[in-house]
Amino acid sequence: MAIWAKIKQLELSQLFVLAKTFLFKPRLILPTYKATKNTVKICNNLFGKAHHKDNKTNAFRHALWNFKIAEASLPQVKQRDKAIAWAEEITNLHERLSPNPTLPQTMDLHNNKIGRQLFLQEISSEEIIKKLQVMMKSAKLVQQAQEISAYQNNLVFIKTM
């Protein structure tokens, strides 16, 4: 996921929504960008290109991405709940601007939430990777969006490697 390539693919109306989001929170542009870039780098190192599929590695990436955005924005927003709100806002926006079919989108939103929940547990940046790797072992394979709500504390995925 090359960030600039994704931005260049957006339609004008989508670019407007993205610009408007950052217009009111300009100090969060750089932390969000760095967190996103760091997440992709970590996932590329751990999984190669596999994390671009709807599998366990993708679940890992979405959770880590939310954790990293919340962590990176905390020094700017000063409160954990505001950092969580920003991570949710920006990653939900990503799902709106790059729409998936219902099942992959529901999976992504669920795994995003897992990452934000882990951030609230005050897990360190070093520990989060190990924690998510352990969580991948108990990740749940789902075939319908309705199944996902049964796994509130688990990563979920829809494709095996």
Side-chain angles (χ1 to χ4, degrees):
M1 169 176 62
I3 299 164
W4 186 245
K6 284 278 194 189
I7 290 172
K8 289 186 345 186
Q9 291 176 347
L10 296 176
E11 296 175 9
L12 185 59
S13 62
Q14 294 172 315
L15 281 171
F16 179 74
V17 171
L18 183 62
K20 182 179 165 193
T21 300
F22 281 112
L23 179 67
F24 295 106
K25 297 177 180 140
R27 68 184 194 271
L28 296 176
I29 294 172
L30 192 56
T32 301
Y33 174 79
K34 286 181 177 180
T36 301
K37 193 169 180 174
N38 184 246
T39 298
V40 172
K41 181 180 177 183
I42 290 167
C43 291
N44 283 344
N45 288 339
L46 290 173
F47 311 118
K49 298 205 181 287
H51 66 95
H52 295 288
K53 309 268 190 245
D54 292 328
N55 55 35
K56 290 180 182 184
T57 64
N58 180 271
F60 176 102
R61 186 186 80 217
H62 275 269
L64 180 64
W65 185 36
N66 276 259
F67 181 95
K68 290 288 191 181
I69 290 173
E71 178 182 60
S73 66
L74 184 59
Q76 303 297 323
V77 299
K78 309 288 188 229
Q79 297 172 1
R80 294 183 88 71
D81 61 329
K82 288 183 179 180
I84 291 293
W86 173 249
E88 183 174 12
E89 180 179 350
I90 201 68
T91 57
N92 284 356
L93 179 62
H94 167 76
E95 293 301 326
R96 272 196 4 241
L97 296 179
S98 301
N100 278 325
T102 301
L103 180 55
Q105 184 179 51
T106 305
M107 176 195 70
D108 289 348
L109 291 170
H110 172 84
N111 292 323
N112 291 348
K113 185 177 178 181
I114 294 288
R116 294 189 304 269
Q117 289 171 341
L118 291 171
F119 179 74
L120 284 175
Q121 294 175 18
E122 299 188 26
I123 295 171
S124 73
S125 192
E126 296 78 30
E127 295 171 314
I128 190 61
I129 293 170
K130 291 177 187 168
K131 174 74 173 169
L132 288 171
Q133 287 174 320
V134 168
M135 290 181 75
M136 283 175 61
K137 294 175 184 175
S138 61
K140 304 299 182 188
L141 175 65
V142 295
Q143 296 176 358
Q144 296 179 13
Q146 298 83 353
E147 294 175 65
I148 294 173
S149 62
Y151 304 116
Q152 292 300 311
N153 298 314
N154 295 91
L155 295 172
V156 298
F157 65 102
I158 57 178
K159 292 181 183 174
T160 57
M161 301 287 244

